[in-house]
Amino acid sequence: MASSLTKDSATPGTPGSERTFFGHPRGLATLFMTEMWERFSYYGMKALLPLYLVAPGGLHLSAATATAIYSVYLSLVYLLALPGGWFADRVLGPRKTVAVAGVIIMLGHLTLALPSSGTFYGGLGLVAIGSGLLKANISTMVGHLYDGPDDPRRDGGFTLFYIGINLGAFAAPLVIGTVGENVNWHLGFALAALGMALGLTQYLLGGRHLNPRSHEIPTPLSAEEKAATLRKSALWAAVAVVFYCVVGFSGHYTLNWLLVPITIAGLIIPVLVIARIKRDKDLDRAEQSKMSAYIWFFVAAAVFWMIYDQGGSTMSIFADSSAENTIFGWEFPVSWYQSVNPVMIMALAPVFAWAWLALNKRGKEPSTATKFASGLILIGASFFLFLAPLTIAEGGHKAAAMWLVAIYFVQTVGELTLSPVGLSVTTKMAPAKYASQMMGVWFLAVTAGDATTGLLSIAEVDLNKTGIVALEATLAVIAGVAVWMYRKKVKVLMGDVH
């Protein structure tokens, strides 16, 4: 990556002297590589997780339990992004918080690498905590590299950063998945730890190129607030420890005692957060109206992610048991399916960016609500398509790999009409009082969607049956049609946001 650093005139106030990264501040190279390796570790572990959970040589759990664990884990990662942002804003600042997050993630993967089911869930918890701390803050530091929101290089910088995410996500299943499935599960998890170690090393060595603002604690806790926060944290931790000790020593503990509370929290907390912002009397009429519109987008996103994230659980478990995972006679590991989406994202994202701009110049760019409706209809269509390989498998045959590739393709197109648009509209519609928190609120839509999947799995609903897949697909399409039908009302509520 060093060859991409070139001499250029430095923007005043930008760290990195005269050297740039594709014309961007040199600190972007540090954050690009850090995020690439962190995503390598995260997506590699994620590709292995459901397969390890159901494998005879792994934990050998049922498909429903494996899907529940996977969904609750993803839900927790995105739920913890909100306190992760708070921790950086009030306690350590973004730069130190990301360093701490990297260490926690690495320790989590190392814990997963231990050949013991007893430590496995602790490792998952550590990775979730670290990912929540990192996810909320590394993007903030990318923003710090530029001279405010009007810096013309800003959008391009985030696009490069997004490429780093998808490079890591693409490579991870090919490397970590192959080793985990074909050599040893725990060696695969150890490779994920190595990936995070490389990212952390890059981050610490390149930290001098980051903007000094990343060191700052925007709103530090006062001594009184620190004491109160520690007291409350200690109290809740003690309650949890006592509760689980009682349940454990009484012989009543099952995995559901852990999964159910997290799942319920994943459904309730997003509702409480949105309701608290909506009821805030400090918001003026225009901000209240925008929040009413935002609820439409939030609910739509939750339905979308509920189905989309099953690409790594429901569909992966199906591929493991019921698909012919070969192309032209060459067999490949099941985890490789998880590389399909990131490579398609890298191929299609520039096309979508060009298309929206071209349509905008002609005055024909679809509204945000129309884009969301399209995303929902496409994610529903992907699960209607899923009915074909499910039917083939129910007939006693193995489904062709290209069925699954086609499903991932449709889901990727749906993602590109909804996810980047959702990130953008979140920043545009955020009330001034909650400007720094709204990205965490957007992540809560993922939490709500994954928590719903987790709840269905805990209830022993078989998500690989044609009936439930058809029901989910129908729900998404109905939600998409509803958003489209009410698009004019939503547009009015959005006010001056386009």
Side-chain angles (χ1 to χ4, degrees), residues 392-410:
I392 292 169
E394 286 180 359
H397 304 286
K398 293 274 189 178
M402 292 310 294
W403 279 114
L404 298 179
V405 173
I407 295 166
Y408 285 121
F409 172 77
V410 176

Side-chain angles (χ1 to χ4, degrees), residues 197-430:
L198 290 170
L200 186 60
T201 302
Q202 162 76 19
Y203 180 73
L204 295 175
L205 291 176
R208 66 187 184 279
H209 302 300
L210 301 177
N211 193 296
R213 284 179 58 201
S214 299
H215 265 311
E216 297 173 4
I217 304 172
T219 52
L221 291 172
S222 65
E224 294 79 8
E225 287 175 321
K226 282 183 181 178
T229 302
L230 285 172
R231 280 198 303 272
K232 289 177 183 177
S233 301
L235 176 63
W236 283 109
V239 168
V241 168
V242 170
F243 174 78
Y244 282 105
C245 282
V246 170
V247 172
F249 288 123
S250 65
H252 291 94
Y253 180 80
T254 65
L255 190 57
N256 281 349
W257 282 103
L258 182 63
L259 297 180
V260 171
I262 297 174
T263 304
I264 292 173
L267 290 171
I268 292 176
I269 290 174
V271 174
L272 293 178
V273 170
I274 291 281
R276 179 173 63 85
I277 296 174
K278 188 74 179 70
R279 290 198 308 265
D280 193 330
K281 293 180 180 178
D282 289 342
L283 271 57
D284 60 32
R285 179 176 291 185
E287 289 176 324
Q288 284 283 0
S289 179
K290 288 174 185 176
M291 281 306 301
S292 296
Y294 190 74
I295 290 171
W296 280 84
F297 299 129
F298 185 91
V299 174
V303 174
F304 179 90
W305 295 117
M306 177 187 73
I307 295 177
Y308 179 90
D309 277 343
Q310 289 184 58
S313 55
T314 303
M315 286 177 58
S316 187
I317 291 170
F318 171 82
D320 188 39
S321 62
S322 305
E324 193 71 51
N325 303 310
T326 60
I327 294 180
F328 303 120
W330 174 68
E331 188 172 359
F332 57 88
V334 175
S335 55
W336 282 26
Y337 284 111
Q338 301 311 306
S339 288
V340 174
N341 170 260
V343 77
M344 287 182 175
I345 287 284
M346 288 188 286
L348 295 176
V351 177
F352 271 76
W354 170 84
W356 296 143
L357 190 60
L359 288 169
N360 182 268
K361 288 178 178 177
R362 298 176 188 175
K364 294 182 178 180
E365 184 181 2
S367 67
T368 299
T370 301
K371 291 175 183 177
F372 264 71
S374 301
L376 282 168
I377 291 169
L378 284 165
I379 201 71
S382 77
F383 258 34
F384 278 126
L385 187 58
F386 190 22
L387 293 174
L390 283 172
T391 303
I392 292 169
E394 286 180 359
H397 304 286
K398 293 274 189 178
M402 292 310 294
W403 279 114
L404 298 179
V405 173
I407 295 166
Y408 285 121
F409 172 77
V410 176
Q411 291 187 345
T412 300
V413 176
E415 179 187 0
L416 287 168
T417 65
L418 183 142
S419 183
V421 178
L423 289 168
S424 176
V425 82
T426 296
T427 60
K428 291 176 183 176
M429 295 175 65

Side-chain angles (χ1 to χ4, degrees), residues 32-45 47 160-176 338-339 342-343 346:
F32 176 99
M33 295 295 288
T34 303
E35 181 71 349
M36 186 189 76
W37 282 114
E38 188 275 329
R39 292 291 88 181
F40 175 85
S41 72
Y42 176 80
Y43 280 98
M45 185 277 290
L160 274 175
F161 183 69
Y162 196 58
I163 290 171
I165 291 172
N166 284 285
L167 278 174
F170 168 70
L174 304 180
V175 178
I176 294 174
Q338 301 311 306
S339 288
V343 77
M346 288 188 286

